[in-house]
Amino acid sequence: MTTDRARRVLIVEDETSLADSIRYNLEREGYAVDVAYDGRDALRRARLEPPDLVLLDLMLPEMAGLDVCRTLRAESNVPIIMVTAKDAEADKVAGLELGADDYVTKPFSMRELVARVSANLRRVATAVPAQEQPEDILEGGPVRLDVSRHEATVRGQPVDFRPKEFELISTFLRRMGRLLTREFLIEEVWGPGYYGDMKTLDVHIRRIRTKIEEDPHRPVHLVTVRGLGYKYTDE
Ligand code: CA
């Protein structure tokens, strides 16, 4: 499968000489490579410019590799290959349980590494039909919607939204960070002729919160703007 765009690989590795060597080898294979030298920087870069694959060293300063893995997985479906020490069996198991896709053990050959990267990217490419249009995908915070197929995931897990819930959440995702008044939302989702109870909106918002928020009583994504309406943030 060929794409116009180079696949982006984010290397998370604090040993600069090893990071440089991996970068060199992946760039030679045509990948676009970004390097983070610690976990916080890795998360920042992954949020700024989402990679197609993350190569994550588990032994990192600042923030443990497993925490980086957990956070990355909570935020996206990006394939994660862990880099572990030879005898760190517990780390491998923990990482795979946290959602990593694969691992390589130090020391590894560059040839082996490149093969793993390409295999993990191929798996993703074949999982996504070629005709899929990117504008059919809406993403923000923990939510990802495939609009044309009417499918949704939250933190990587499939979630069923009822039709109006789906329309509401996609309305929010298309207008990320903006205050949407109750009137606007009613008109957008139920139509301009809707004169039913405004409580309908609140009930739907509550239902969506139970599906997307870690704590539906203290929402951080679908938040109330008191007296005015609601707003969706991907913070
Ligand atoms: Ca390291």
Side-chain angles (χ1 to χ4, degrees):
M1 180 176 179
T2 56
T3 52
D4 295 328
R5 183 177 74 87
R7 312 302 295 274
R8 301 184 53 78
V9 177
L10 173 60
I11 300 170
V12 189
E13 173 60 74
D14 57 309
E15 289 169 55
T16 52
S17 61
L18 179 57
D20 285 349
S21 164
I22 297 173
R23 177 203 279 271
Y24 171 81
N25 280 275
L26 289 177
E27 281 179 347
R28 208 174 51 170
E29 296 293 320
Y31 297 109
V33 177
D34 199 7
V35 178
Y37 298 101
D38 66 62
R40 284 181 212 292
D41 190 33
L43 293 177
R44 193 182 61 77
R45 285 171 192 273
R47 287 168 182 151
L48 209 64
E49 199 156 10
D52 295 300
L53 183 140
V54 177
L55 192 63
L56 174 64
D57 181 25
L58 290 188
M59 295 139 288
L60 291 170
E62 301 277 332
M63 183 179 187
L66 287 174
D67 290 334
V68 178
C69 181
R70 182 188 294 116
T71 307
L72 281 173
R73 180 50 76 240
E75 294 177 3
S76 87
N77 282 317
V78 65
I80 301 170
I81 303 178
M82 300 178 281
V83 178
T84 67
K86 194 161 157 231
D87 47 5
E89 215 54 48
D91 273 0
K92 282 175 208 163
V93 174
L96 292 170
E97 280 174 354
L98 287 176
D101 298 274
D102 199 359
Y103 62 85
V104 290
T105 302
K106 278 183 182 175
F108 48 81
S109 74
M110 285 299 155
R111 203 169 144 192
E112 180 193 355
L113 186 76
V114 168
R116 289 296 187 82
V117 167
S118 126
N120 278 274
L121 282 170
R122 208 159 46 234
R123 208 166 42 72
V124 176
T126 51
V128 180
Q131 70 272 21
E132 185 174 272
Q133 295 300 307
E135 51 269 37
D136 286 340
I137 303 295
L138 294 173
E139 280 184 283
V143 181
R144 184 175 196 275
L145 300 182
D146 184 331
V147 176
S148 59
R149 296 179 182 189
H150 220 274
E151 286 172 357
T153 59
V154 175
R155 293 177 197 87
Q157 301 299 314
V159 166
D160 268 334
F161 286 112
R162 296 157 87 167
K164 291 297 185 202
E165 295 170 10
F166 196 98
E167 279 187 57
L168 257 180
I169 187 77
S170 56
T171 300
F172 280 110
L173 288 177
R174 287 183 211 279
R175 297 169 184 81
M176 194 101 68
R178 280 169 51 187
L179 161 68
L180 304 182
T181 64
R182 300 161 57 80
E183 292 73 18
F184 172 86
L185 289 165
I186 290 276
E187 187 162 324
E188 192 75 6
V189 175
W190 280 270
Y194 182 84
Y195 297 110
D197 193 349
M198 286 289 249
K199 286 275 177 239
T200 306
L201 175 63
D202 302 323
V203 171
H204 279 76
I205 295 281
R206 269 207 297 281
R207 278 204 211 118
I208 293 173
R209 281 173 174 162
T210 64
K211 295 177 183 180
I212 69 168
E213 299 282 359
E214 308 249 32
D215 180 353
H217 299 293
R218 291 164 186 228
V220 295
H221 297 293
L222 186 40
V223 296
T224 303
V225 182
R226 201 164 293 282
L228 295 172
Y230 298 95
K231 160 168 106 166
Y232 189 89
T233 68
D234 61 353
E235 293 300 303

